[in-house]
Amino acid sequence: ETQPVLEQNDLADPRIADKQILVVDDNEAARRQLLALLQRFRCRPVLAQGADEALGLLRTAKARGTPFDAALIDLDLSDTSSTELAAAIRGDASLSHTRIAIMTPLDRTDSAEMILGDGSNWLAKPIRQTALADWLHTTFAPSSNSAKTKPSPAPQEEPPLPGPKDDFRILLAED
């Protein structure tokens, strides 16, 4: 099976392409950055400045039969809290299928975890392409390997820690 040749700036994966994603952020630069990133994945981003606009867009899309697949919500909205918006989405039976991720400054990830109840649905701002790719794939294209249950390997004794006489070197690289 041949795969289509993608443009250099095109990061499309057929499992995530065409996902309609609502970006809710009161910062125009942040919205535009996410618009560009999501378009590179061939998603269909729609931008909202605040919670009221976001809820209106979510409900209109659902009524038209084209519901949003996900909403990326800034932690610090000026018109309402992200907690209230996430609760409104989850509390509306017609919108509760919408996957939610909270965008938060790196030093406030604990706030996102409190809102969502787990650490898997937040993105640290500024949003990096690799982090967005990871979230998109985890959310919409989970690995087929993760669905299979593999037997746990037999527990093994951990090797002893190197002592002063052992020669070793450590290379630490960070992007």
Side-chain angles (χ1 to χ4, degrees):
E1 174 180 330
T2 60
Q3 295 291 326
V5 177
L6 300 175
E7 294 177 28
Q8 184 177 5
N9 290 334
D10 187 351
L11 303 171
D13 176 331
R15 298 170 298 172
I16 59 175
D18 291 323
K19 296 296 183 193
Q20 185 167 257
I21 300 177
L22 181 62
V23 175
V24 187
D25 198 320
D26 53 6
N27 180 302
E28 184 177 354
R31 287 193 311 269
R32 288 181 187 267
Q33 178 211 13
L34 276 165
L35 174 70
L37 285 174
L38 288 165
Q39 286 175 334
R40 291 186 72 190
F41 290 100
R42 290 196 190 167
C43 293
R44 294 179 293 130
V46 176
L47 308 179
Q49 224 174 332
D52 292 337
E53 182 182 5
L55 284 171
L57 289 166
L58 285 161
R59 290 180 177 133
T60 300
K62 179 65 176 177
R64 289 183 179 160
T66 57
F68 283 91
D69 297 293
L72 300 175
I73 304 169
D74 182 42
L75 178 66
D76 296 316
L77 295 173
S78 58
D79 64 343
T80 189
S81 75
S82 51
T83 307
E84 291 171 0
L85 179 55
I89 294 169
R90 288 182 170 160
D92 184 327
S94 68
L95 303 177
S96 62
H97 72 282
T98 307
R99 294 175 177 107
I100 299 171
I102 301 295
M103 301 178 293
T104 177
L106 192 54
D107 64 343
R108 301 212 23 225
T109 57
D110 58 331
S111 299
E113 290 180 23
M114 287 187 336
I115 293 166
L116 297 167
D118 66 34
S120 64
N121 294 316
W122 58 266
L123 292 164
K125 290 177 82 172
I127 309 293
R128 299 179 82 179
Q129 180 176 294
T130 53
L132 183 60
D134 289 346
W135 181 80
L136 287 167
H137 283 97
T138 300
T139 303
F140 298 113
S143 168
S144 58
N145 291 338
S146 64
K148 297 177 185 174
T149 3
K150 297 180 182 177
S152 300
Q156 299 176 350
E157 283 189 36
E158 297 214 10
L161 294 174
K165 63 181 178 192
D166 294 325
D167 184 26
F168 68 93
R169 298 186 308 195
I170 297 174
L171 171 65
L172 175 64
E174 186 178 71
D175 61 12

